[in-house]
Amino acid sequence: MATLRFLLKRFFAQRLLGLAIVVTLGFTIGVLVAGPIYADAAREAIQSSAVSTASVTVKNVRFLTYGNPVYDYETANATLEDEVSRLPVGEIVPQGRGTVRLVGTDPNAPLSLTVLFRDGAADHLPFRGEPPQGPGEIALPGGIARLLGVDLGETVTAVGPTGEQAELTLVGRFDPPSRDDPFWFGDQTPFPPPDSTELSPGLMDRAGYLEVAPALGVTSEYVWDVYLDLVGVPFVRAERIPQEIERISDELRATPEFTQLQVSTGLDTLITLVQQRVEDLRVPIFLVVFQIGAVTLAILAGVGSLVLSRQSFELAILRSRGFSGGKLLAAQGVQAVFTAIVAYPLGLLIGMALAKLASNANGPSLPGVLFPIGLSTFALVLGAIGALIGAITLLLLSLPHVRRTILEERRLLSREDRPLISRVPVELFVLPVALFTFVELRGTAVQSTSARDQLDPLVLLTPTLLIFALSFLALRLLLWFLRRLDRPVAHTKSLPIYLATRRLSRSPGTSFATSLLLVLAVGLLIVSTSYRAIVLRNHEDTAHQQVGADWNVQIAVPDDPLIAASSVPPNAVAVIRSQPVFELPGSFTLSPSVIAVDPQRFATGGWWRSDYSNTPLDTWLRDIEVPDPAVPVSGGSFTATVTAGAPAEGLQLQVTYETDDDRVRTASAGTIVQGTGTYEAALDGADAILSITFLEEAAAEGPDSFALELRDVAAGEPIALGTWTPLQWRGSDGTVTPAGSGISVTIDTGAGHVVGGIAPPIGPLPALISPEISRSQGSPFVATIGGQRLEFQQVALAQAFPSVLGDFLVVSTPALLRAAVRIPEPGLALNEVWAMGEDDPRPALRQAGMIPGPTQAAGAIIGALAQLPQSLAVGMNFATAVGGLGLVVLGVAIGLYFAQRRREFEFASLRAMGTEPKQVSRVLLLEQGLMITFAILAGAGIGFGVLRLLMPYVGRSIGSAFPPPILVFDWPALAVSLSAIVAASAIGLLAALRALLRSSVTSVLRGEAE
């Protein structure tokens, strides 16, 4: 008890020392336990992510069987509900269906139709009328009701396979449901695809079907769709569910009602995928943890040595007064155990905090993805092991101190040696290993793997070893350089420079260890924060490359495409996507794409990466702009004198024009007759003429070619047609030659109803193209797009373009639209809208009069990528680096404070010899400032250098292969970290300086004050 009282008194008397060692050990334990805590949480996150992104048929279960007219459905339903109650069931949706013949108003035209019941179906169908209730009611798709000639309230006759009949009243009509509604069980929905010729089923309720179908002698297919509620279900429970489903299936097949049972689910495959990803995740996570754990243990040893250096004089006095070494060692052991007990819960809290930080460090998660942070048995045991190792480390550090007497302690104090790590060439042992791992990393498949689902441990191990070795080497070179300064410094008249340089070169002491710690911390921090920044940026780039922007909305073809293109929201861009047909062959691995974007809006509405092209974005966007080729007009009436031969007779003369509000209209000037005549057309609101075309309305085959003359063409003012060119539309072509006051036109007709025409010239459309198109087609080149043959001119080259996997041709949306709308026949159409920003653009598009269709969002892709094993491992790498930084900040502050307090005798001697306090301050600040500044700069240089060295080999392991990851630095995190290091160093130095200058010179010189 006396020993315990002594230890408690000493602990509280030296509370700063005790607090330092407790917090340091707590951080060490926290970094260790963060690994298993995060691994368990990541396992749940991987599971919840896989469940949230899986299709409805994969993550749920369908039980299917067949029953004849005497099938005992009620017993089967009760048996199945009882069996599946062991599963985490969210909802069971029963369904039954069979085929009957329905007879409407025409008894000679029955329809063979599937009739079904599905509990809750009425809430998932757009009804007109009422849902069916009871055996005498039925609801039908609107098209079926029209085919049968029945309306609401009228009767249809259901006929079974053996002729039995039942009268059913039509109480409701409905449209087919959305195929995205999970209620209908995905691709196993009873409704046929939209392009299918199969008829949609009729609908009854369960009671009505179970009475009518057996009475008609119908054999039915019965289904129970079991929707599992896997949200919050622990992985250890979820991985047993496939086996439970198999056991339930076997038990059901043993009953008379389920002898033909079929069970379909993809849950076993889903769980296997999750298990594989979890296993891929554990190795890099624990590698990171044990790497940082080793560093934190070294910091603990350093802080423990500083604490013992403050206690060594006290221990030496006790030893000189008769205390045995064993008793002192036991007292130190009790103190170490007490420290471990106090640090253990603190470490668990720190570990949970680090795991929580790691869970938010790998990017945004999908809705429904859980990341539960909790303590597992393994984490508790590992934390206890860490506390035990820490206590043993502290006890082992005490061994030399409990053996010294007061005289030996004085002798050691007056002859301070360089620390062991500054005398042993550690870099000679570590550097070869680091080089070996680097060579291995270069030789692995990391650099060429396009789809990697795990993080190669070398990606984490190699930079750590390189930074470790280079840190020792950098400090070794600094000390060598300082020793070379001995002679020049000997002649200096500045006392602070002389003392600081001489001490650092001859006896760096704790300054060497502190600087080494800082170099390591800064280098590792740069790598870990940059890894995270690279991964997050790569996730965004991958999603944007796939989508084209934050949002990609397919739209129905608008009535007025020019208006639609200009009415998209400010953060959106109207896009045309099509496929070209080139005149010359090319080596295309995938079908090339034509993408048209609005040059005025793409910079804000679309996504682009600067390394895709050597031409800047604003330059090639400006270069693909094309002036409007339409001919302005001042009148609302079109007139022309036409001289036509027999082949042109019967064709419609059409004028396509643009109004002042960007609407495109086509007016007919009448049917061409043989001979010379004047043709007129009213152009309501015309602002510019786009084309003059010839329409073949008759079903008979038109002429292969025809010729005519156009003279005196005017729309308010005369229109000169001499520069106009033939339209090349669906095989049509021709020639235009001046003839007197007009032109002579020869048209080779095409396959469209618009057999030909002429239009103002638009010239080659400027385009951004891919390398293979440039190589194979040259410039200018010709391609057919949407049925129209157009000429293109290369203005820039790009290696890739958003939303396109193969080769591409990028032109201006307004230019391509104007080329398309001058032909009054369906061809190219505005079919996509891209948008940037968090808000869904579909409401704004509806407000603008567009009809949105299938939509892709980059956010969902980013969330899915964030749950990949390599992303989760990088998140843990970042969190442990932050934890290591916290420990470094603490270690630097403690080390600087207590290490300088250890030099009280040295500074007291200087002050006794007349050195002014300002000079003492300058000595300390210059000495430590030099080492800290060098450490930060050297650590930053090593970190940046190692990262640039490894980037070509690790990029594709920590990110997706396309687009390739690019080097990104997390400047905000680095700024905060370096600020914390500088602040901790300043606090430690200023506190030590204040204590040194306030101490009594005489008291210190009479005997070391503790």
Side-chain angles (χ1 to χ4, degrees), residues 44-60:
E44 305 301 326
I46 291 174
Q47 174 190 310
S48 57
S49 174
V51 169
S52 65
T53 56
S55 65
V56 64
T57 57
V58 170
K59 59 186 176 184
N60 300 300

Side-chain angles (χ1 to χ4, degrees), residues 33 36-37 40 43 344 348 374-385:
V33 301
I37 293 174
D40 291 339
R43 179 184 62 188
Y344 181 67
L348 296 180
L375 292 170
S376 63
T377 302
F378 180 61
L380 293 171
V381 171
L382 186 60
I385 293 173

Side-chain angles (χ1 to χ4, degrees), residues 22 96 241 257 825:
V22 166
I241 292 178
E257 292 77 20
E825 191 170 1

